[in-house]
Amino acid sequence: MKHFHAVGRVPFNRIHISLKWLLLGVVFGVAAFFIVSLSMERIESPHFSAQLSAARLMASSIAELSTFRESLGIEIDPSVDPNLTGLIGPEFTELTTTLGNLQAKRTSTNPDFAALLVKYFEELDLKRGDPVAIGASGSFPALLLAALCACEVLELEPLVIYSIGASEHGATHPEFTFVMMLKRLVEAGLLKDSLIAVSLGGNYDTASGMFFPGARELMTEIALSSGKTFIYEEPLQASIDKRLEIYVQEAEGPPSVFVNVGGAAPNFGNTLLAISLDNGLLTAFSSIPEGDERGLIFEFAELGVPVIHLLNIRDLAMENGIPIDPVPLPEPGISGVYFVDSYSLPLTLTFLFLMILCVVAGRMIKK
C-alpha cells in the first residue's frame, strides 16, 4: 500500500469519478480501436524501389545457386527444401555444429529478407561506399545472401567474415558452403567478392567437440582452400580481437554497422546477455557486459556502432510482415515489409478527445 501511495500520489480508490462517465469512456475506447483500425491505409515504403531490387537480386541469386548445386550433383531434397532453393543443407554432416530449426531455415530463404535489410540500412541512413561488417556462421546462408544483396543494391561495401560450421540444415554440405556459393555468384556477375576472412566456427570458433571424427581437418581444408585470411585463435577472446582488428583495418576505422547472422561464438560471445538480445536493428543497448568473451555485438556496441542481429527468424519475420515457411515463395513486393500502415489522425484525435472529456466530465459531475 505504501508503494501505491509513493508511485501514484493519489490512490486509485480515492479518485472521484462518475462510474457512468468512466464506462462511457471505455465504450469510446473500444469503438476507437475498431473504427480507427478500419481507417488503416497501406502505402508503399519510402524505400520500396530499393527493397524490390534487392529482393529480386536475391531471387535471381537463389535460382543461380539452385541450378549450380544440381550441376554439381548435390541433390536438393524437396522434403526439406520444397521451394528447391538449394540453400537448405543436410541435417547431419561433418560441418554440423548444433541443432537447428528447419522451419526457420526455410523461412529465411524468402527474398523478402533482402528487402528487410534494405529497410534497416536505410533507417541508419547509410550512404554509398559505407563499410558494412558482416559476421556469419553457415547456419543461415540465405540471410547472409540477403545482406549482400541489400548492400549490392545500395552500393555499400560489405566485409564478410564467415565461419564454416553450421547448425542443422544450414550450409552443412562440405562441397556447398557459402564460400562456394559466393564464388559462383561472383562468377555469374550477381555479387562482388566481399569475403575477407574465414574461420572454423563451432565451439570457441575452433571446431572443438564436433559430431564426426575428422571434422576439424575437413573444415580446415575448406578454410584454407578459400584463399582468404584464415582465423584460428585461442582462446575465444583472441578470435574476437582478431576479427575486430580485420574489420577496422578493412573499413579504415569502425564500420557503419555490424550485421550478425546466426550464433557464431566470436560474434555472439559467451555471455547470457547475448541470449536476451532483441532481434533486428539495435541502436541502443540497455547493458553492455564487461570482461572477455562478450562478442563482437557488444564490442561494436561499445564503439557506438549499430548492430543488426539476425537470429530468431520466426519473430523477425512476424514483426516485419514476412510469411512463415511459405510454399511457394511469394513474389517480391507483396508482403508487409514493403509497406507502411497509417491510420486516420483526425479519427484518432477525436476519440482521444472524447475519452479525456469523459474522464474530466466524470470527475466534475462526481464532485
Side-chain angles (χ1 to χ4, degrees):
M1 180 61 73
K2 288 181 180 178
H3 175 70
F4 217 117
H5 280 254
V7 173
R9 294 184 178 278
V10 180
F12 178 76
N13 60 3
R14 292 186 183 177
I15 294 177
H16 301 287
I17 183 169
S18 163
L19 180 60
K20 182 176 66 177
W21 282 96
L22 185 61
L23 290 175
L24 184 60
V26 172
V27 170
F28 278 131
V30 173
F33 176 79
F34 288 103
I35 295 174
V36 173
S37 296
L38 290 174
S39 74
M40 187 191 81
E41 183 181 3
R42 175 159 286 190
I43 59 174
E44 288 182 357
S45 155
H47 322 300
F48 183 86
S49 178
Q51 286 182 291
L52 194 58
S53 296
R56 285 174 174 167
L57 177 58
M58 181 168 170
S60 299
S61 299
I62 289 174
E64 177 67 29
L65 292 175
S66 178
T67 302
F68 180 53
R69 175 170 166 158
E70 291 193 311
S71 74
L72 296 175
I74 304 172
E75 183 182 357
I76 298 175
D77 183 355
S79 68
V80 297
D81 188 4
N83 291 313
L84 305 178
T85 65
L87 294 173
I88 305 297
E91 186 174 15
F92 280 112
T93 72
E94 293 91 337
L95 307 191
T96 304
T97 55
T98 54
L99 300 177
N101 183 292
L102 180 56
Q103 185 190 57
K105 302 299 171 87
R106 291 198 296 238
T107 299
S108 72
T109 62
N110 190 335
D112 288 347
F113 278 97
L116 177 61
L117 266 297
V118 167
K119 175 186 164 187
Y120 289 150
F121 290 153
E122 291 284 14
E123 287 177 0
L124 290 171
D125 198 25
L126 300 190
K127 306 298 184 190
R128 178 183 180 186
D130 279 352
V132 177
I134 302 175
S137 69
S139 297
F140 290 98
L143 294 183
L144 176 50
L145 177 60
L148 294 182
C149 290
C151 286
E152 184 73 20
V153 166
L154 297 178
E155 300 185 68
L156 306 174
E157 293 297 327
L159 305 168
V160 179
I161 297 182
Y162 175 70
S163 303
I164 293 166
S167 58
E168 293 172 342
H169 296 297
T172 49
H173 199 292
E175 296 180 9
F176 204 62
T177 66
F178 196 81
V179 175
M180 178 70 79
M181 296 181 200
L182 182 58
K183 183 180 179 184
R184 178 62 181 181
L185 295 175
V186 172
E187 290 171 350
L190 291 168
L191 294 176
K192 59 186 175 186
D193 187 3
S194 52
L195 187 61
I196 57 173
V198 294
S199 73
L200 299 184
N203 290 337
Y204 300 100
D205 202 29
T206 57
S208 61
M210 298 295 286
F211 294 114
F212 292 88
R216 179 183 290 181
E217 289 73 15
L218 174 61
M219 295 164 77
T220 302
E221 182 182 334
I222 294 170
L224 293 175
S225 65
S226 72
K228 306 297 181 182
T229 299
F230 178 37
I231 300 173
Y232 187 95
E233 303 283 346
E234 293 181 281
L236 178 61
Q237 185 60 40
S239 183
I240 296 168
D241 292 342
K242 184 65 177 178
R243 279 169 159 75
L244 195 57
E245 175 189 327
I246 293 174
Y247 280 133
V248 171
Q249 180 180 345
E250 292 286 335
E252 299 180 349
S256 298
V257 60
F258 175 60
V259 181
N260 173 57
V261 180
N267 303 325
F268 203 58
N270 191 19
T271 165
L272 290 176
L273 269 179
I275 299 173
S276 61
L277 278 174
D278 290 334
N279 276 259
L281 177 58
L282 307 174
T283 55
F285 286 71
S286 58
S287 178
I288 298 177
E290 299 288 339
D292 294 345
E293 301 186 353
R294 60 182 178 177
L296 283 168
I297 289 177
F298 296 108
E299 294 287 350
F300 279 120
E302 189 161 84
L303 291 173
V305 175
V307 171
I308 297 174
H309 182 42
L310 307 176
L311 185 60
N312 187 333
I313 307 309
R314 182 180 177 81
D315 287 355
L316 202 59
M318 292 182 68
E319 288 169 6
N320 292 282
I322 297 174
I324 304 294
D325 199 9
V327 180
L329 290 172
E331 287 294 319
I334 296 175
S335 72
V337 72
Y338 301 91
F339 299 94
V340 176
D341 295 337
S342 63
Y343 299 87
S344 168
L345 182 59
L347 272 178
T348 304
L349 292 176
T350 299
F351 277 108
L352 182 61
F353 172 76
L354 289 173
M355 286 187 287
I356 293 174
L357 185 64
C358 286
V359 173
V360 173
R363 292 198 66 178
M364 292 179 65
I365 290 173
K366 187 72 177 181
K367 289 177 180 176

